[in-house]
Each structure stands twice: as structure tokens, then as C-alpha cells.
Amino acid sequence: QVQLVESGGGLVQAGGSVRLSCVASGIMFSMATMAWYRQAPGKQRELVAEISSSGITKYGDSLKGRFTISRDNAKNTVYLQMNSLKPEDTAVYYCNAKSPWRAWGQGTQVTVSS
């Protein structure tokens, strides 16, 4: 069974850093394109970052170089390093495995205080 489990969320002050982790099971992780999305209250879910099996990365247009996605295939884990956090980064962050798995994690809350 496909399962994505996020961790690392919490409360952080503006300007701080957080690293989110997502451990995947039930998929061929090394072959999967993985992504992070986020959804703020009352807003649409948006792409934060994506990383292909070959390591090609993409970032959402709203980001300004503060976030970095990476993966460790030996650990079946994808990471999202978030630096210089702003209150507008407050959201639930979701791990995602792209097609054909189309799997989502349960989400982890990141709250950035002003």
C-alpha cells in the first residue's frame, strides 16, 4: 500500500528555518517524481517544489530561492528545506508522489509567526 508520511512541521519565527521530511513506502521511490505542495487557509493548494528521479528540480513561481527540495533514495525520503520563512509561508505542507502513484501524505502544519 502506498503511504507518504510527512514530519518536521511546527511553529517557527519569521526568518527561521524548517526542514520537512517525507518517508515513502509502497512505491518505486527511486523512479518517482516527488513534490511538495502547500495549502494556506482559504487558499488553493499550490506547488512548492518538485524533484524528478534524475534530480531535476522545479519550484513554484511564488518562491524566491528560499526553499530547496532534495531526496535520499537510500532512505526513501524527500526533504524540503525552508529558510528565511515568512508569515505568508504558513500552510499545511503536503508530500506528493506523481503519476502513476498519485499519492499524498496527510500534511504537516507549518506556522510562521510574525
Side-chain angles (χ1 to χ4, degrees):
Q1 185 175 6
V2 177
Q3 186 174 39
L4 275 53
V5 180
E6 302 102 330
S7 63
L11 178 64
V12 62
Q13 292 183 323
S17 297
V18 168
R19 189 179 77 157
L20 305 181
S21 299
C22 171
V23 180
S25 60
I27 67 172
M28 298 291 185
F29 183 82
S30 64
M31 299 182 67
T33 295
M34 304 296 297
W36 288 95
Y37 287 75
R38 70 183 183 185
Q39 188 166 23
K43 297 184 178 181
Q44 299 181 73
R45 188 171 298 188
E46 64 175 341
L47 175 69
V48 176
E50 179 180 296
I51 184 166
S52 74
S53 61
S54 61
I56 299 173
T57 58
K58 299 178 181 178
Y59 294 91
D61 292 337
S62 64
L63 301 181
K64 299 181 179 179
R66 297 178 295 114
F67 293 2
T68 302
I69 189 170
S70 62
R71 67 193 298 158
D72 186 340
N73 288 346
K75 297 180 179 179
N76 280 16
T77 302
V78 61
Y79 304 95
L80 182 68
Q81 179 68 45
M82 304 190 292
N83 299 323
S84 301
L85 285 164
K86 305 174 182 179
E88 52 261 44
D89 295 320
T90 295
V92 178
Y93 285 73
Y94 297 92
C95 183
N96 170 250
K98 298 293 187 181
S99 296
W101 295 278
R102 298 184 180 91
W104 292 89
Q106 81 287 350
T108 185
Q109 176 73 44
V110 175
T111 302
V112 184
S113 62
S114 61

